[in-house]
Amino acid sequence: MPGLAEAVLLALKDRGAGEVFGIPGDFALPFFKILESSDILPLYTLSHEPGVGFAADGAARFTSRLSVACVTYGAGALNMINPVAQAYAEKTPMVVISGAPGAGEAANGLLLHHQVKRLDSQWEIFKELTCAQARLDDPAVAHREIARVLDRCLHESRPVYLEIPRDLVATPVNPVPAYLPPSGNSEAAQSAAREVLSRLAAASRPALMVGVEARRYGIEDKVAELAAILKVPVTTSFMGRGLMAGKNVPLAGTYLGAAGKPDVSAVVEESDCLLMLGVILSDTNFGVSGGKVDMRHAVHAFDGQVRVGLHYYPDVLLRDFVDRMIAEARPLDRAGPSAAEEEIGALIEDADTLHPMDIARAINGLFAEVGPMPMTSDMGDCLFTAMDIDNTELAAPGYYASMGFGVPGGLGVQAATGRRPLILVGDGAFQMTGWELGNCRKYGWNPIVVLFNNTSWEMLRVFQPGPAYHDLPDWHYADLATGLGGRGHRVSTRAELAKALRDAYADESRFQLIEAMLPRGAISDTLQRFVNAIRSLSALSQE
Ligand code: PPY
Ligand code: MG
């Protein structure tokens, strides 16, 4: 019989986990020791727990597999609350493993270090952030508890929480049962598919919007197949930007409501039957549409159910629903107004000052030459700028919108996929988690980081012009790269940016930090439309 820690690791591996991100602490030391000596999954340590959570999140988004974030009790786990909350909101299957006090340790009447109010304060907090939890304090049932929690993680594609008392890590437990795929109601999937197909056929402007669940449940190819049969315009949600990249589906673009390109918004808002597959119905995905999407004529397949107008089919797996649609779909041949994304043109390599749109142009130029790289983006204008990078795999916190994801998320992508990522981040977010780049050398990671340095919390300035606290000092980040084990490039002109990108791409020996100096107030076209939209909506509501 395996010991408890080993049983957890074997079950994780059996369910597809490829690695563990973590930071140890004394309550977690016994688990970490077994993690290393058992050699079941590789361990990547980072510097601060938020980085651990973001790295695991980035890994899961790219691989569509379980990711693992391992921390110690209290000071460690509570440091990771925000990334776990984001993973919950944005549906990433992250397994949080926390060390915990041993069974006898609570009995001596003293407060234990790292304890908040009660010994189970952390448990209560994580209950709110995860979709299933287990405290593995009973070796007789641990195998079933581990399977229950890990299976839920995959079924719901949301974080789960496992707490391991430090004195039990080597206690023998029964082998964990194999993964049990979800069943779903196939009859409901069939009826839903038929109703939706007939609604689509009756519509004059049917359209498809693809959201993150398509990636989470690994069915982008099926969605592409369905789109190819139906021949209707295809869009992605804001969160889903980067989905269907390289899938040979003519993509009209990414829906951003009034912040988006008008022809893409028209496809969605003028549709009389919008089929949303795996789309998170959030304000960032829909809010700036000013209520223009008519949900009574829309179909929303999400979180294990299919909503058709005002009724819904429960217990329908997205995969089954799409399979049933593929089986019976007929071409509708309503290609719609636009089948290709608008181009922003090539970068002019001259001595002009940089604008965010030049960064999009420069990256498009690089990808055209060398092929696309997997991307992560932080929150801020870098993410809005990414909307003008040709549709390329992109993971970003477009809904929960935490800062700090970009750099550690990208490291997670490289750890989990072995692919060299391109990371977009602003100076504000870089100050939070950019230092995790110092861990690249240890693991041979060599991301290219494009740091949008406008010496501001520029996006906040956009929401609330005026206050001086939006100004950030110029820390000369590129100069710090050498000390962290990478190479820095500070660029202020379009020609310098193009050269730095090429040099960075050619130098695979270490991470590359391209610090793109941007004037305050220079914002991407999308952020500008976003601002205009918000202003005109708030003006309308004040009338
Ligand atoms: C996300 O950002 O959460 C996504 O799932 C979108 C995505 C698209 C392509 C690659 C990885 C993630
Ligand atoms: Mg900034």
Side-chain angles (χ1 to χ4, degrees):
M1 291 207 298
L4 176 59
E6 201 182 319
V8 169
L9 292 165
L10 289 169
L12 285 165
K13 186 169 185 177
D14 182 50
R15 285 161 178 75
E19 65 288 307
V20 175
F21 299 94
I23 295 181
D26 63 344
F27 286 112
L29 283 174
F31 183 81
F32 272 75
K33 184 140 189 277
I34 294 173
L35 177 53
E36 183 166 278
S37 64
S38 68
D39 220 10
I40 296 168
L41 292 172
L43 165 67
Y44 300 106
T45 61
L46 296 177
S47 302
H48 196 201
E49 285 83 0
V52 169
F54 289 136
D57 190 350
R61 288 180 199 228
F62 265 83
T63 59
S64 303
R65 296 190 313 230
L66 282 185
S67 66
V68 190
C70 194
V71 288
T72 195
Y73 180 70
L78 299 190
N79 241 341
M80 212 166 64
I81 287 174
N82 179 57
V84 178
Q86 177 155 287
Y88 188 94
E90 302 193 346
K91 296 213 64 170
T92 33
M94 182 193 300
V95 181
V96 178
I97 297 178
S98 176
E105 291 185 68
N108 71 2
L110 296 175
L111 288 172
L112 291 178
H113 64 290
H114 299 334
Q115 172 176 345
V116 190
K117 238 189 225 175
R118 293 180 312 269
L119 274 176
D120 65 354
S121 296
Q122 173 173 320
W123 168 269
E124 291 298 326
I125 291 166
F126 274 85
K127 228 161 94 179
E128 185 63 19
L129 305 174
T130 57
C131 71
Q133 311 78 27
R135 187 184 290 129
L136 302 176
D137 56 3
D138 181 355
V141 300
H143 59 298
R144 284 202 301 271
E145 286 291 276
I146 295 166
R148 172 180 67 80
V149 166
L150 298 186
D151 288 2
R152 279 279 293 288
C153 186
L154 286 165
H155 297 174
E156 292 200 30
S157 192
R158 298 213 197 254
V160 295
Y161 177 72
L162 289 177
E163 204 173 280
I164 305 186
R166 64 171 158 181
D167 56 348
L168 294 182
V169 293
T171 307
V173 299
N174 288 313
V176 177
Y179 175 60
L180 199 65
S183 45
N185 181 336
S186 56
E187 226 182 313
Q190 169 92 299
S191 312
R194 286 192 177 146
E195 181 181 354
V196 172
L197 285 170
S198 74
R199 281 184 175 236
L200 287 168
S204 53
R205 284 182 303 279
L208 182 58
M209 185 189 290
V210 189
V212 290
E213 275 192 349
R215 177 120 189 157
R216 302 288 189 266
Y217 293 115
I219 58 163
E220 276 172 278
D221 285 325
K222 287 181 190 289
V223 173
E225 192 183 341
L226 177 63
I229 301 173
L230 290 174
K231 294 198 177 66
V232 296
V234 182
T235 60
T236 76
S237 63
F238 178 46
M239 267 295 298
R241 177 72 186 178
L243 292 169
M244 316 304 282
K247 296 285 183 225
N248 204 17
V249 172
L251 206 60
T254 294
Y255 179 66
L256 287 156
K261 295 173 183 153
D263 52 347
V264 181
S265 299
V267 164
V268 169
E269 291 166 7
E270 289 165 22
S271 172
D272 52 353
C273 188
L274 176 66
L275 171 57
M276 294 175 281
L277 296 175
V279 173
I280 297 176
L281 283 188
S282 71
D283 61 348
T284 51
N285 275 340
F286 286 93
V288 282
S289 67
K292 283 192 187 126
V293 175
D294 185 350
M295 295 295 172
R296 287 170 310 175
H297 298 119
V299 178
H300 185 222
F302 187 73
D303 254 350
Q305 65 180 44
V306 177
R307 247 185 71 183
V308 185
L310 299 177
H311 60 277
Y312 75 96
Y313 297 83
D315 201 15
V316 176
L317 306 180
L318 188 60
R319 167 185 298 270
D320 289 351
F321 177 59
V322 173
D323 274 340
R324 300 289 173 158
M325 300 243 317
I326 290 172
E328 299 189 22
R330 298 276 170 276
L332 303 174
D333 283 313
R334 318 251 169 84
S338 93
E341 284 199 83
E342 211 177 288
E343 297 283 338
I344 52 165
L347 179 72
I348 301 166
E349 297 185 30
D350 62 10
D352 270 15
T353 309
L354 279 176
H355 184 277
M357 297 301 284
D358 293 320
I359 299 179
R361 292 186 183 101
I363 292 172
N364 283 340
L366 177 73
F367 288 175
E369 266 173 47
V370 304
M373 296 167 71
M375 295 196 296
T376 58
S377 176
D378 218 291
M379 197 57 207
D381 198 27
C382 56
L383 178 54
F384 291 103
T385 302
M387 298 302 124
D388 277 303
I389 295 174
D390 299 336
N391 196 43
T392 306
E393 285 176 293
L394 167 71
Y399 158 37
Y400 182 83
S402 168
M403 292 167 75
F405 169 81
V407 167
L411 302 185
V413 170
Q414 184 150 20
T417 67
R419 296 164 70 197
R420 188 185 198 188
L422 189 125
I423 296 169
L424 308 178
V425 60
D427 54 325
F430 193 86
Q431 289 186 2
M432 296 180 179
T433 56
W435 316 109
E436 297 288 3
L437 285 173
N439 295 296
C440 285
R441 188 162 40 187
K442 181 163 60 166
Y443 298 119
W445 297 331
N446 58 355
I448 298 176
V449 181
V450 180
L451 197 170
F452 290 52
N453 188 2
N454 47 20
T455 59
S456 302
W457 286 318
E458 190 65 43
M459 203 173 137
L460 298 185
R461 193 194 305 283
V462 156
F463 291 135
Q464 188 176 81
Y469 57 69
H470 293 329
D471 296 350
L472 298 177
D474 181 3
W475 284 10
H476 287 261
Y477 303 92
D479 290 346
L480 305 173
T482 315
L484 293 172
R487 175 175 167 199
H489 315 246
R490 178 158 159 130
V491 300
S492 307
T493 70
R494 309 199 283 191
E496 287 167 4
L497 172 64
K499 176 173 185 311
L501 259 181
R502 281 194 284 265
D503 290 350
Y505 186 80
D507 180 359
E508 296 187 354
S509 68
R510 55 212 145 131
F511 81 77
Q512 307 287 316
L513 179 60
I514 301 176
E515 184 184 15
M517 301 306 297
L518 297 162
R520 286 183 183 150
I523 59 174
S524 67
D525 292 358
T526 299
L527 185 55
Q528 188 61 59
R529 283 190 299 258
F530 192 81
V531 177
N532 297 346
I534 286 180
R535 292 212 179 118
S536 64
L537 282 177
S538 69
L540 274 180
S541 67
Q542 277 157 26
E543 267 171 18

Coordinates of all heavy atoms in Angstrom, one line a residue, residues 5 9 20 30-43 70:
A5 N 1.0 10.5 1.0 CA 1.5 11.5 0.1 C 1.7 10.9 -1.3 O 1.3 11.4 -2.4 CB 2.8 12.1 0.6
L9 N 0.0 11.8 -5.0 CA 0.8 12.1 -6.2 C 0.5 11.1 -7.4 O 0.4 11.5 -8.5 CB 2.3 12.0 -5.9 CG 2.7 13.2 -4.9 CD1 4.1 12.9 -4.3 CD2 2.7 14.5 -5.7
V20 N 4.2 19.8 -10.4 CA 3.7 20.5 -9.2 C 4.5 21.8 -9.1 O 5.7 21.8 -9.3 CB 4.0 19.6 -8.0 CG1 3.6 20.4 -6.7 CG2 3.3 18.3 -8.0
P30 N 7.2 17.5 5.2 CA 7.1 16.0 5.0 C 6.6 15.7 3.6 O 7.0 14.8 3.0 CB 6.2 15.6 6.1 CG 6.3 16.6 7.2 CD 6.5 17.9 6.4
F31 N 5.5 16.4 3.2 CA 5.0 16.2 1.9 C 6.0 16.5 0.8 O 6.2 15.7 -0.2 CB 3.7 17.0 1.7 CG 3.0 16.7 0.4 CD1 2.2 15.6 0.2 CD2 3.2 17.5 -0.7 CE1 1.6 15.3 -1.0 CE2 2.6 17.3 -2.0 CZ 1.8 16.1 -2.1
F32 N 6.6 17.6 0.9 CA 7.6 18.0 -0.1 C 8.8 17.0 -0.2 O 9.3 16.7 -1.3 CB 8.2 19.4 0.2 CG 7.3 20.5 -0.5 CD1 6.1 20.9 0.1 CD2 7.8 21.2 -1.6 CE1 5.4 21.9 -0.5 CE2 7.0 22.2 -2.2 CZ 5.8 22.5 -1.6
K33 N 9.2 16.4 0.9 CA 10.2 15.5 0.9 C 9.9 14.3 0.1 O 10.6 13.8 -0.8 CB 10.5 15.0 2.4 CG 11.7 14.1 2.5 CD 12.5 14.5 3.8 CE 13.8 13.7 3.8 NZ 13.6 12.4 4.4
I34 N 8.6 13.8 0.2 CA 8.2 12.7 -0.5 C 8.0 13.1 -2.0 O 8.3 12.3 -2.9 CB 6.9 12.1 0.1 CG1 7.2 11.5 1.5 CG2 6.2 11.0 -0.8 CD1 6.0 11.1 2.3
L35 N 7.5 14.3 -2.2 CA 7.3 14.8 -3.6 C 8.7 14.7 -4.3 O 8.7 14.2 -5.5 CB 6.9 16.3 -3.5 CG 6.7 17.1 -4.7 CD1 5.8 16.4 -5.7 CD2 6.1 18.4 -4.4
E36 N 9.7 15.1 -3.7 CA 11.0 15.0 -4.4 C 11.5 13.6 -4.5 O 12.0 13.1 -5.5 CB 12.1 15.9 -3.7 CG 13.4 15.9 -4.4 CD 14.3 17.0 -4.0 OE1 14.1 18.2 -4.4 OE2 15.2 16.7 -3.1
S37 N 11.5 12.8 -3.4 CA 12.1 11.5 -3.4 C 11.4 10.5 -4.2 O 11.9 9.6 -4.8 CB 12.3 11.0 -2.0 OG 11.1 10.8 -1.4
S38 N 10.0 10.7 -4.3 CA 9.2 9.7 -5.1 C 9.4 9.8 -6.6 O 9.2 8.9 -7.3 CB 7.8 9.8 -4.7 OG 7.3 11.1 -5.2
D39 N 9.8 11.1 -7.0 CA 10.0 11.3 -8.4 C 8.8 11.0 -9.3 O 8.9 10.6 -10.5 CB 11.2 10.4 -8.9 CG 12.1 11.1 -9.9 OD1 11.9 12.4 -10.0 OD2 12.9 10.5 -10.5
I40 N 7.6 11.1 -8.7 CA 6.4 10.9 -9.5 C 6.1 12.0 -10.4 O 5.7 11.9 -11.6 CB 5.2 10.5 -8.5 CG1 5.5 9.2 -7.7 CG2 3.9 10.4 -9.3 CD1 4.6 9.0 -6.6
L41 N 6.2 13.2 -9.8 CA 5.9 14.5 -10.6 C 7.1 15.4 -10.3 O 7.5 15.6 -9.2 CB 4.6 15.1 -10.2 CG 3.3 14.4 -10.6 CD1 2.1 15.1 -10.0 CD2 3.2 14.3 -12.1
P42 N 7.5 16.2 -11.4 CA 8.6 17.2 -11.1 C 8.0 18.3 -10.3 O 6.9 18.7 -10.4 CB 9.0 17.6 -12.5 CG 7.9 17.3 -13.4 CD 7.2 16.1 -12.8
L43 N 8.9 18.9 -9.5 CA 8.5 20.1 -8.6 C 9.2 21.3 -9.1 O 10.4 21.3 -9.4 CB 8.9 19.8 -7.2 CG 8.9 21.0 -6.3 CD1 7.5 21.5 -6.0 CD2 9.6 20.7 -4.9
C70 N 1.1 23.6 -4.5 CA 1.4 23.0 -3.2 C 2.0 24.0 -2.3 O 3.1 24.6 -2.6 CB 2.3 21.8 -3.5 SG 2.4 20.7 -2.1

